[in-house]
Amino acid sequence: MTAPNELRLLPWSGPEGKPCYLSTDERGGYMSRLADNVEAVQLGMAAELLEDASETLSDRDVALDEMQRLAKELSGALRDVLRVATSRGHLLAVGGPRP
């Protein structure tokens, strides 16, 4: 739950890549649950990508275009995970640990 007048950083960007925020005290509200679900999907996809990256990097014959694709996907996943970590870190600092 966010404290009154606190904004939650959402796990997606708005126009022009700018951050989106949610202003609510309602932890179980539709937008809060949607944000929680999107965060869970992003973290799961990042974990799967990390496994794929380990396999790709162990292949000595991997093509340059495959490495470029991997770098692009890892960059996107890292951006998503960093946004989730920033949001959750802020929520912990404001409201204490979640159950």
Side-chain angles (χ1 to χ4, degrees), residues 21-41:
Y21 295 92
L22 175 64
S23 176
T24 184
D25 294 338
E26 192 177 339
R27 173 89 176 106
Y30 175 77
M31 289 301 294
S32 290
R33 289 191 325 268
L34 177 62
D36 290 343
N37 289 336
V38 170
E39 286 178 350
V41 168

Side-chain angles (χ1 to χ4, degrees), residues 13 19-20 31 35 55 63 67 72-73 76 87 92:
S13 298
C20 290
M31 289 301 294
E55 292 174 17
M67 289 298 284
K72 184 176 179 180
E73 289 181 9
S87 177
L92 289 174

Side-chain angles (χ1 to χ4, degrees), residues 25-66:
D25 294 338
E26 192 177 339
R27 173 89 176 106
Y30 175 77
M31 289 301 294
S32 290
R33 289 191 325 268
L34 177 62
D36 290 343
N37 289 336
V38 170
E39 286 178 350
V41 168
Q42 288 173 329
L43 294 174
M45 290 174 62
E48 289 176 17
L49 182 58
L50 185 57
E51 288 180 27
D52 291 345
S54 294
E55 292 174 17
T56 301
L57 293 172
S58 66
D59 181 358
R60 301 195 81 183
D61 297 325
V62 67
L64 178 59
D65 62 331
E66 180 68 11

Side-chain angles (χ1 to χ4, degrees), residues 8-10 39 82-92:
R8 175 182 178 172
L9 176 63
L10 295 172
E39 286 178 350
L82 181 58
R83 187 180 296 119
V84 170
T86 300
S87 177
R88 290 184 180 185
H90 178 72
L91 290 175
L92 289 174

